[in-house]
Amino acid sequence: MIRRILPFIKKEFTEILRDRLSITSLLLLPSILLFLYGYAISLDIKEIKISICDKERSEFSREFTDGLISSGYFRITARRESPNEIESDLRTSKSQVGIIFYPSVYKNFLRNNEPSVQILVDGSNAQSSQYTLNYLVGAIERFTQNAIKKELIRINTIQTPTEPLLTERILFNPLLKSPLYLIPGLIAFVIMITGAISTTISIVKEKENRTFEQVILCPVSPFTLIIGKIIPYFVISLVSSAIMILLSILFFDLPTKGSLLFLSYAVIIFLLCASGFGMLISTISSSQQVAFTIAAFSTLLPTIILSGFVFPINNMPEIIQLITYIVPAKYFIAILRGILLKGSSLSELYPETLSLTIFAVLIVSASIIRIKKKGII
Amino acid sequence: MEIISVKSLTKRFGNFTAVDNISFGLKPLTINGFLGPNGAGKTTTIKMICGLLRPDEGSIFIENIDVIENPEKAREKMGYMSQNFSLYPDLTARENILFFADLYKIKKSERDNRYAELTDELNLHEYQNTLTSDLPLGIRQRVALASAVIHHPVLLFLDEPTSGVDPISRMKFFDFIRKYINSHKATAIVSTHFLTEAAHCNEIFLFNRGKIILSGQPAEIIQNFRYNIFETKTSLLTGEIKNILNNSEGIIEFYIFGKRVRIITEEDIDIQQISVRTGIDISNISVVAPSFEDVFISLTND
Ligand SMILES: Nc1ncnc2c1ncn2[C@@H]1O[C@H](COP(=O)(O)OP(=O)(O)OP(=O)(O)O)[C@@H](O)[C@H]1O
Ligand SMILES: [Mg+2]
């Protein structure tokens, strides 16, 4: 078997390496995307303009705004007298965030009354507003907890039960290095391009050129043929994923907490899903255009749109949220975010890992059955 | 003893019958020509014999192997050159040929010997390291041929190996095949549009609309041709000559090329009669020997 596959792998690599443009783009595109995306978004976050309306004018409100500015992500562009002005600032894009401190917010806060700080966020850029909001929520959380601590020390009570004012917190990636948040999605994207699309295209190209007919008449089984097709792209996907992770460690301070073994498992299983898709699609398409279209719609688009890569799944309509359950990239991205950003272990990501593995098994078996039944040409 | 025997072979694509209940047998050490126009069913038949297509009806045996049931069993014996010379465009001639050698697990030393021999015989030296996409059609044909025979198959299936290739290369091609067959005790099926290539074959099979309308040795076929062929130069307009010939009795078929008209008539019509019937001066008419085109046209005329 191995001896039969080797000539295919050798041939495939010769072809791939000879096509300078595609090999360069397969290996470099992901990293370029990473940098473009990474810098564009962190720039976004650094430049966030705030309009403030401070009716409280206490130490509390001053400390809070100072804290925000010192984080380096925010800049106060306007101080306003009335809440209406804040709204018009947002509408005219003078600022992306408005913060309104109502009078006696600090007293209310200590009494655990109605909150009286209002935060307005320009939601027109879903991506960056999500990050901004998350960051602000976290900042408020940290700030209030500090304030409570201080207050407790001041009045010398130790055991007053304190309910958190806000339930959302950014625990991981607290500095909002958003490129880090995107790395798993980019890896998924790259694996789909190389693992599914390139594999499909290269198989269908052989159908079109009729070289498959020639090869099928040699004493090789269709599976040898297909495996010989898949392995090179498998290797390339692994290499470009590794490049992305290395670059992220070097340039974006990606933490290296997670288990390398678990990471490799997740990548390989997801690659199997991608290759399975690739095989299935190549059995049903007769031309490169058809194959590309089917592959783009069934693998690439869901990986970008329905996986939580670009758009947060929580913000999607319920019916779409249901659909995301059949997008393997969703599980893969969740797993990778867990491993890369939080250092989560298998036991914490058990459900996602299981779902991804089941997907891989289903897709690969489906394509094997399909090839057994129908052959490849 | 037949090396390949085909019985009642039928292949349909939807409602369309591409190969319609054909039967034939091939003798070993022969070149067998599948002749016929576009869409006649040559490729479909070849693919079924190779096991690339599953027939709807009929049986195919290669020696004792039932190819339909066990398509893998005869594969080592087969060498196949598909229509339009399928090669990997991004590989060089050498890489293409050696790739196929490696698929057959030929030992490296043996492989290199065979490769050297083939590049010699097919004059491929100067093209070895050129990408096949950059090679002219005639050279690609030779590279494809080398790829198809590097494992020394005893059954050659060559689907229109000579289309788009100049006459001298076509001659050389058949020389190579003949030599190969003799030295490897092989048998070949060669399909072609060129009826003139019938002369290179031991047996020919004339395909039309999914059926074999005639088969046999080329010389025999010409000998058995029952019609007369005349050729005449004419200054008449195409429309006029058509009009005359269409209204003359005993004329099976005629075809006009340039200023000349070729006329196929019933056996009992001689040059004088043709002159009388068409009004063409007898000095302008000559009797010619039948060619395979004439045979084919007389058979497909309806
Ligand atoms: N996969 C297919 N689906 C539908 N029709 C097909 C298919 N393959 C062949 N045909 C049809 O079957 C008929 C016979 O085709 P085939 O290729 O066997 O002819 P051929 O004699 O090899 O012709 P050519 O000289 O053009 O190669 C043609 O009309 C063709 O359109
Ligand atoms: Mg054909």
Side-chain angles (χ1 to χ4, degrees):
Chain A
M1 180 84 170
I2 301 277
R3 268 199 71 190
R4 296 277 193 203
I5 293 177
L6 276 180
F8 284 105
I9 297 180
K10 191 173 138 202
K11 180 218 87 189
E12 204 67 31
F13 267 121
T14 317
E15 279 184 300
I16 296 172
L17 294 176
R18 203 152 277 163
D19 189 354
R20 289 276 153 73
L21 187 66
S22 12
I23 182 66
T24 320
S25 46
L26 282 181
L27 284 178
L28 290 186
L29 187 77
S31 308
I32 294 172
L33 280 178
L34 182 73
F35 278 93
L36 282 182
Y37 239 105
Y39 280 117
I41 284 189
S42 52
L43 206 70
D44 236 357
I45 303 273
K46 276 208 173 78
E47 283 290 292
I48 289 175
K49 291 178 254 171
I50 302 185
S51 290
I52 280 194
C53 169
D54 185 358
K55 301 223 165 202
E56 155 100 359
R57 291 182 200 284
S58 69
E59 200 185 330
F60 171 84
S61 57
R62 234 169 298 127
E63 254 177 47
F64 182 77
T65 41
D66 287 351
L68 280 186
I69 294 164
S70 67
S71 73
Y73 295 113
F74 299 93
R75 192 155 55 91
I76 293 179
T77 49
R79 292 185 182 273
R80 303 291 186 198
E81 287 307 314
S82 87
N84 287 346
E85 289 175 90
I86 300 280
E87 253 193 83
S88 89
D89 277 351
L90 285 179
R91 209 166 294 123
T92 56
S93 295
K94 282 204 182 96
S95 59
Q96 287 129 296
V97 177
I99 301 178
I100 305 164
F101 294 95
Y102 288 99
S104 46
V105 60
Y106 191 54
K107 262 185 250 156
N108 284 346
F109 161 62
L110 289 180
R111 272 189 242 122
N112 224 347
N113 273 356
E114 295 289 292
S116 344
V117 179
Q118 191 179 13
I119 293 175
L120 301 156
V121 177
D122 174 6
S124 53
N125 180 344
Q127 186 76 30
S128 72
S129 57
Q130 180 75 22
Y131 288 126
T132 312
L133 197 60
N134 286 350
Y135 185 81
L136 284 170
V137 166
I140 292 171
E141 169 82 353
R142 278 194 302 277
F143 186 79
T144 52
Q145 276 181 352
N146 278 339
I148 288 166
K149 248 189 235 152
K150 270 194 218 158
E151 190 60 22
L152 290 181
I153 292 163
R154 195 176 67 82
I155 56 176
N156 217 352
T157 332
I158 313 256
Q159 284 296 332
T160 313
T162 53
E163 284 195 13
L165 284 183
L166 289 149
T167 47
E168 279 193 75
R169 292 184 301 163
I170 303 186
L171 268 181
F172 308 104
N173 193 13
L175 287 177
L176 263 173
K177 295 245 166 156
S178 45
L180 292 191
Y181 202 64
L182 290 174
I183 290 164
L186 283 175
I187 294 177
F189 177 73
V190 167
I191 288 180
M192 274 302 174
I193 290 198
T194 356
I197 298 194
S198 302
T199 311
T200 315
I201 296 285
S202 89
I203 293 176
V204 175
K205 200 162 104 189
E206 292 219 18
K207 279 202 221 177
E208 270 184 354
N209 289 344
R210 294 167 195 269
T211 40
F212 253 14
E213 285 182 1
Q214 210 82 40
V215 169
I216 283 172
L217 285 185
C218 299
V220 283
S221 76
F223 290 104
T224 312
L225 183 60
I226 293 286
I227 292 169
K229 276 270 162 202
I230 286 175
I231 289 179
Y233 293 99
F234 207 90
V235 172
I236 293 175
S237 307
L238 281 180
V239 171
S240 59
S241 307
I243 292 180
M244 283 170 73
I245 292 176
L246 277 178
L247 287 176
S248 313
I249 293 173
L250 286 176
F251 291 93
F252 296 106
D253 303 321
L254 181 81
T256 44
K257 301 183 222 168
S259 141
L260 187 62
L261 194 69
F262 187 21
L263 178 71
S264 317
Y265 177 79
V267 170
I268 287 171
I269 292 296
F270 185 62
L271 245 170
L272 281 179
C273 288
S275 310
F277 267 124
M279 283 194 272
L280 265 185
I281 295 166
S282 51
T283 59
I284 54 177
S285 354
S286 51
S287 78
Q288 293 185 55
Q289 268 118 329
V290 173
F292 182 79
T293 314
I294 298 179
F297 274 98
S298 63
T299 65
L300 213 50
L301 277 184
T303 301
I304 298 173
I305 296 174
L306 299 175
S307 63
F309 169 24
V310 177
F311 307 108
I313 292 177
N314 294 338
N315 297 357
M316 294 174 185
E318 211 154 287
I319 175 88
I320 308 267
Q321 289 200 23
L322 281 179
I323 296 178
T324 64
Y325 283 98
I326 55 163
V327 177
K330 168 192 163 133
Y331 304 108
F332 177 67
I333 290 176
I335 296 170
L336 246 64
R337 280 183 181 155
I339 300 175
L340 291 176
L341 304 182
K342 309 183 210 174
S344 308
S345 64
L346 178 58
S347 55
E348 290 160 278
L349 293 167
Y350 179 68
E352 286 86 356
T353 313
L354 187 67
S355 311
L356 190 65
T357 310
I358 290 174
F359 254 106
V361 171
L362 286 181
I363 296 170
V364 172
S365 336
S367 49
I368 289 175
I369 291 170
R370 167 93 198 169
I371 292 172
K372 270 240 158 82
K373 266 202 180 142
K374 295 260 167 173
I376 25 183
I377 46 172
Chain B
M1 172 65 193
E2 288 172 349
I3 186 149
I4 295 178
S5 69
V6 167
K7 295 228 161 59
S8 316
L9 196 62
T10 299
K11 178 74 192 177
R12 299 181 198 93
F13 295 109
N15 290 332
F16 177 74
T17 307
V19 172
D20 191 359
N21 190 22
I22 62 172
S23 304
F24 59 86
L26 304 184
K27 295 185 201 79
L29 309 182
T30 51
I31 298 180
N32 299 276
F34 282 13
L35 275 59
N38 284 107
K42 307 180 295 289
T43 299
T44 309
T45 305
I46 291 177
K47 282 189 179 173
M48 287 191 286
I49 301 174
C50 293
L52 284 171
L53 264 182
R54 212 183 150 81
D56 294 309
E57 281 157 40
S59 70
I60 304 166
F61 278 85
I62 291 182
E63 288 172 328
N64 300 321
I65 303 165
D66 183 337
V67 183
I68 301 171
E69 290 314 311
N70 306 301
E72 308 83 23
K73 276 202 173 163
R75 283 205 175 148
E76 300 255 5
K77 298 183 187 188
M78 296 180 181
Y80 173 67
M81 203 174 141
S82 71
Q83 206 165 341
N84 54 28
F85 323 147
S86 41
L87 295 163
Y88 293 99
D90 288 337
L91 297 186
T92 63
R94 185 188 154 85
E95 286 163 345
N96 263 289
I97 298 169
L98 294 186
F99 169 64
F100 285 101
D102 289 340
L103 289 189
Y104 287 93
K105 295 206 277 189
I106 301 168
K107 270 210 212 90
K108 193 167 174 306
S109 55
E110 172 67 13
R111 181 196 79 172
D112 293 346
N113 281 343
R114 292 188 190 184
Y115 176 79
E117 200 178 316
L118 280 171
T119 36
D120 245 18
E121 282 176 51
L122 292 167
N123 270 321
L124 286 172
H125 270 291
E126 53 183 305
Y127 309 104
Q128 288 185 81
N129 298 315
T130 313
L131 294 188
T132 52
S133 55
D134 297 338
L135 290 173
L137 200 65
I139 313 296
R140 288 224 294 274
Q141 173 221 38
R142 272 134 66 185
V143 178
L145 181 61
S147 307
V149 300
I150 186 100
H151 61 291
H152 289 174
V154 291
L155 295 171
L156 286 185
F157 300 93
L158 311 169
D159 196 1
E160 293 196 22
T162 53
S163 67
V165 175
D166 66 86
I168 295 178
S169 302
R170 281 175 9 215
M171 283 265 293
K172 285 189 179 159
F173 179 86
F174 276 98
D175 285 347
F176 177 90
I177 299 297
R178 178 62 67 192
K179 254 167 70 187
Y180 182 91
I181 282 183
N182 292 337
S183 56
H184 293 94
K185 307 269 168 284
T187 307
I189 292 180
V190 181
S191 82
T192 177
H193 282 157
F194 298 109
L195 297 171
T196 49
E197 287 181 352
H200 298 290
C201 304
N202 299 95
E203 297 274 331
I204 62 170
F205 299 83
L206 209 46
F207 280 70
N208 194 42
R209 301 187 189 183
K211 289 189 180 297
I212 295 178
I213 52 173
L214 180 72
S215 65
Q217 292 170 11
E220 220 175 63
I221 287 177
I222 296 286
Q223 261 171 23
N224 294 343
F225 190 65
R226 291 170 295 108
Y227 303 111
N228 292 334
I229 312 286
F230 302 98
E231 226 177 83
T232 170
K233 281 208 181 86
T234 173
S235 50
L236 290 173
L237 294 173
T238 311
E240 291 174 291
I241 190 92
K242 273 189 179 165
N243 209 5
I244 294 170
L245 290 171
N246 277 331
N247 293 320
S248 311
E249 262 177 49
I251 292 183
I252 305 284
E253 187 63 85
F254 60 88
Y255 42 109
I256 303 167
F257 43 106
K259 288 247 171 277
R260 289 184 300 165
V261 187
R262 202 168 171 105
I263 304 164
I264 307 173
T265 69
E266 298 285 2
E267 212 171 1
D268 53 354
I269 294 180
D270 62 16
I271 192 161
Q272 232 136 17
Q273 281 168 303
I274 198 89
S275 171
V276 171
R277 289 185 190 200
T278 60
I280 300 170
D281 195 288
I282 197 158
S283 61
N284 262 339
I285 304 176
S286 50
V287 182
V288 289
S291 70
F292 283 99
E293 269 97 350
D294 300 318
V295 175
F296 184 77
I297 285 167
S298 69
L299 282 170
T300 52
N301 142 71
D302 36 26

